[in-house]
């Protein structure tokens, strides 16, 4: 449906790039497709459409987009890049600390930059952050072009000190004190309902 729409009624909205002869749509799970292509294939890999703001507002602990940003996923994507290629993505979150577990998943020998895109978010309290990852530090310097609406965020070593997202533990992205509190409250409520149910059931049996 998405491919048909983008090649159809929304094609003009995208500048008809979706109907360009060199554009090849692959309707399949992204990580599976990346594993199937040869290494050293792409200039840019864009992990787009992660919709982290929806997970944030719904207080979701494990949005499915987390699996794009695990240590294993980034290692696979980096193999598919040219030496001067780049992985890019955006996150509608409130601070770089919110994606610290993604930063921690970036291999030590790989460079990254974080930028803020001003006035791009639907919610002022959740500014749009832009993350760029590349095996070549010189490639990232191109993003300093003043014509780009990017505000660089200074490097913060603390962002690499948290545990990274992994395929076995993808729960850290988007997890915060408030979402954790909501989870605890839900568990307590479920236990309370179960306890009341048992007490009610026991009373009925006694009568």
């Amino acid at each position: 449906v998405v491919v048909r729409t983008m090649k159809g009624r929304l094609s003009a909205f995208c500048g008809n790039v979706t109907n360009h002869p060199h554009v090849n749509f692959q309707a399949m799970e992204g990580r599976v497709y990346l594993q199937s292509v040869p290494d050293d294939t792409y200039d840019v890999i864009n992990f787009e459409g992660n919709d982290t703001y929806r997970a944030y507002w719904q207080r979701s602990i494990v949005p499915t987009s987390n699996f794009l940003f695990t240590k294993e996923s980034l290692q696979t994507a980096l193999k598919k890049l040219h030496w001067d290629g780049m992985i890019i993505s955006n996150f509608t979150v409130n601070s770089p600390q919110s994606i610290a577990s993604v930063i921690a998943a970036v291999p030590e020998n790989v460079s990254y930059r974080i930028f803020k895109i001003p006035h791009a978010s639907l919610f002022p309290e959740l500014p749009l952050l832009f993350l760029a990852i590349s095996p070549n530090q010189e490639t990232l310097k191109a993003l300093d072009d003043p014509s780009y609406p990017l505000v660089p965020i200074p490097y913060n070593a603390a962002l690499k000190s948290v545990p990274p997202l992994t395929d076995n533990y993808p729960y850290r992205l988007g997890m915060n004190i408030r979402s954790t509190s909501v989870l605890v409250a839900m568990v307590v409520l479920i236990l309370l309902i179960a306890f009341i149910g048992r007490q009610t059931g026991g009373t009925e049996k006694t009568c």
Side-chain angles (χ1 to χ4, degrees):
V1 174
V2 174
V3 174
R4 184 168 63 249
T5 303
M6 296 306 295
K7 293 175 71 70
R9 61 189 182 90
L10 290 183
S11 178
F13 178 79
C14 299
N16 292 312
V17 67
T18 50
N19 288 313
H20 192 282
H22 292 164
V23 172
N24 180 24
F25 280 96
Q26 297 289 337
M28 62 187 300
E29 201 277 327
R31 287 186 59 177
V32 173
Y33 176 73
L34 273 182
Q35 291 173 347
S36 70
V37 302
D39 293 352
D40 195 30
T41 296
Y42 296 111
D43 294 315
V44 176
I45 295 176
N46 182 11
F47 286 154
E48 187 56 87
N50 44 50
D51 287 334
T52 47
Y53 76 91
R54 293 183 183 178
Y56 181 91
W57 283 111
Q58 294 172 8
R59 305 302 169 196
S60 173
I61 300 300
V62 196
T64 55
S65 59
N66 283 19
F67 287 95
L68 289 175
F69 305 102
T70 64
K71 186 175 182 179
E72 295 83 354
S73 177
L74 292 180
Q75 287 173 342
T76 298
L78 286 165
K79 291 179 182 178
K80 310 305 176 180
L81 285 178
H82 296 310
W83 169 244
D84 57 350
M86 188 184 307
I87 299 171
I88 60 174
S89 189
N90 59 270
F91 299 85
T92 313
V93 292
N94 55 354
S95 72
Q97 284 71 27
S98 299
I99 57 170
S101 52
V102 177
I103 302 302
V106 177
E108 292 297 330
N109 60 336
V110 174
S111 301
Y112 72 91
R113 297 279 303 277
I114 307 174
F115 300 87
K116 182 181 292 186
I117 305 179
H119 313 301
S121 176
L122 295 175
F123 307 103
E125 66 273 24
L126 294 177
L128 190 65
L129 298 185
F130 179 82
L131 173 65
I133 304 169
S134 177
N136 188 347
Q137 190 172 10
E138 294 299 316
T139 300
L140 297 180
K141 290 183 178 179
L143 298 175
D144 291 325
D145 188 322
S147 64
Y148 295 145
L150 299 174
V151 179
I153 295 176
Y155 175 78
N156 183 352
L159 296 180
K160 294 285 285 184
S161 64
V162 303
L165 291 179
T166 65
D167 284 352
N168 291 329
Y169 199 80
Y171 306 105
R172 298 182 183 92
L173 177 59
M175 194 170 185
N176 51 43
I177 294 175
R178 183 172 177 181
S179 59
T180 306
S181 300
V182 171
L183 178 63
V184 171
M186 289 176 62
V187 171
V188 171
L189 180 61
I190 291 171
L191 292 175
L192 180 61
I193 292 173
F195 175 76
I196 294 174
R198 290 189 64 181
Q199 294 296 322
T200 303
T203 302
E204 290 177 353
K205 289 179 180 180
T206 302
C207 293

